[in-house]
Amino acid sequence: MRYGGDNRGRLLIIVLLVTSLFLITLDLRGVQVIDGLRTGTQTALTPVQKAGSWLVSPFRNFLSDVTHLGRTRNQMEKLTAENEKLRLTLQNRKTADAQLKQLKGVLNLAGTAGYEVVNAKVISQGSTTSFTQTITIDAGTSSGVRANMTVLSGFGLVGVVKYAYRDSALVQLASDPAFKIGARIAGTQQIGILSGQGTRKGVLQLLDNTTQVRKGDALLARGSQNGRPFVPGVPIGEVTSVDNSPGAVTQTADVKFYTNFSTLGVVAVVVSGSSADPRDSLVPPKPRPTPLPTVTIYATPGAVEPTPTPTATK
């Protein structure tokens, strides 16, 4: 039995070798039977391959997504940080441009009047227990700033220094209801007292009831002795309306301040006034109205129809 089993095993190996050699020979000679067998085998296996690919594809995609998830998240975080940095840079650039424009304006105004000034940035806006409308600036006694000094913007009066510290100062705005300043009307030189009203508008009370005040008149600071708290000639605002009530003891007018207190970024403190009163030299020029475009229409004469000639009837 043992020898018989060995013989059958050898015979099977020989048969397989012969068959393999036979099939290889036929394949090398290009016999169509082999191509048919190969094609049939591939055709039979194709559905199995497709099913396997369909089953494995989700797992392959899932592994790919997991691999790239961390990389994508890092890229998104990097782009978000870069975008925020660019946004802050743009915002800071706009703020710097606005402050530079205000600085140029206040230097031009002070230079025209001959004021000696100390420039300062507005570091906060708010109120105190004494005043309702104030700003805090980053210049103080170390820069020569003292209490009762005039504060300017590029458009005119801002207010007055109430408290000065080493590196900062508290400024009472002209819009504060407790603020008052002696003012005069440019040109006529009539004087009065201007009071803040808590907004960008103030009220002027003229000392002479016979004075004629007109809408559009410019108002300037009358000035104080030794230039403190107010130097003379500082533009204050423009008259917007006049109250000429009959029988009134005094005449009042509404005034719009030239300075927009809500947009202050850079101001100047007048540490020394000019040697001479600038008078009306600081009055802002009146805006010129934009001329409307004109259109000229040229009429082209049309063809004149011939007059019909009457015909005689017999």
Side-chain angles (χ1 to χ4, degrees):
M1 294 295 292
R2 182 170 58 84
Y3 294 106
D6 293 340
N7 291 334
R8 284 195 296 271
R10 292 191 186 97
L11 180 61
L12 180 60
I13 291 173
I14 293 172
V15 171
L16 291 175
L17 289 174
V18 173
T19 303
S20 300
L21 292 174
F22 178 71
L23 293 175
I24 292 172
T25 302
L26 292 179
D27 185 51
L28 292 175
R29 293 184 178 182
V31 178
Q32 298 297 326
V33 176
I34 300 302
D35 293 340
L37 290 174
R38 185 184 298 111
T39 302
T41 302
Q42 183 63 35
T43 302
L45 292 176
T46 295
V48 178
Q49 292 174 343
K50 289 183 177 180
S53 176
W54 180 78
L55 291 174
V56 174
S57 179
F59 297 99
R60 187 188 303 118
N61 294 337
F62 174 75
L63 293 176
S64 178
D65 292 341
V66 171
T67 303
H68 293 87
L69 180 60
R71 187 183 307 170
T72 303
R73 180 178 299 171
N74 291 335
Q75 291 177 349
M76 290 179 63
E77 292 177 353
K78 182 179 179 180
L79 291 175
T80 301
E82 291 178 353
N83 185 52
E84 183 66 17
K85 183 178 179 180
L86 291 174
R87 188 185 67 81
L88 291 176
T89 301
L90 180 59
Q91 183 177 353
N92 292 335
R93 177 59 185 272
K94 290 181 178 179
T95 302
D97 291 342
Q99 291 179 347
L100 179 60
K101 184 178 180 180
Q102 292 184 15
L103 178 60
K104 289 181 178 179
V106 73
L107 290 179
N108 289 337
L109 180 67
T112 303
Y115 301 143
E116 182 182 347
V117 298
V118 172
N119 302 322
K121 289 184 179 180
V122 178
I123 56 179
S124 70
Q125 291 187 348
S127 60
T128 66
T129 56
S130 302
F131 312 104
T132 60
Q133 296 194 6
T134 61
I135 59 173
T136 302
I137 58 176
D138 65 350
T141 55
S142 60
S143 302
V145 176
R146 300 289 186 271
N148 294 325
M149 286 185 171
T150 307
V151 182
L152 307 174
S153 72
F155 298 98
L157 182 68
V158 169
V160 61
V161 176
K162 301 304 292 186
Y163 302 107
Y165 310 100
R166 174 176 173 76
D167 297 314
S168 64
L170 181 70
V171 178
Q172 180 190 17
L173 297 178
S175 58
D176 190 279
F179 182 89
K180 294 184 184 300
I181 182 175
R184 62 179 176 85
I185 299 175
T188 65
Q189 307 305 319
Q190 298 299 322
I191 60 176
I193 304 297
L194 179 74
S195 303
Q197 298 295 306
T199 64
R200 195 178 172 181
K201 289 187 177 181
V203 172
L204 174 67
Q205 186 176 13
L206 292 170
L207 302 182
D208 186 0
N209 193 30
T210 62
T211 302
Q212 184 179 2
V213 184
R214 296 181 299 271
K215 180 180 178 180
D217 283 345
L219 210 63
L220 304 172
R222 185 167 177 263
S224 308
Q225 187 175 5
N226 298 325
R228 295 180 64 175
F230 302 108
V231 291
V234 178
I236 298 176
E238 180 180 292
V239 175
T240 57
S241 63
V242 181
D243 183 9
N244 292 321
S245 301
V249 178
T250 59
Q251 188 175 192
T252 60
D254 292 332
V255 177
K256 181 180 180 181
F257 291 105
Y258 290 128
T259 298
N260 186 353
F261 305 105
S262 62
T263 60
L264 291 173
V266 176
V267 297
V269 180
V270 182
V271 295
S272 178
S274 58
S275 56
D277 189 342
R279 306 303 296 172
D280 296 347
S281 62
L282 302 181
V283 176
K286 295 287 185 181
R288 296 182 178 181
T290 304
L292 296 176
T294 58
V295 179
T296 304
I297 300 176
Y298 297 94
T300 303
V304 179
E305 296 182 359
T307 304
T309 303
T311 56
T313 58
K314 298 181 180 180

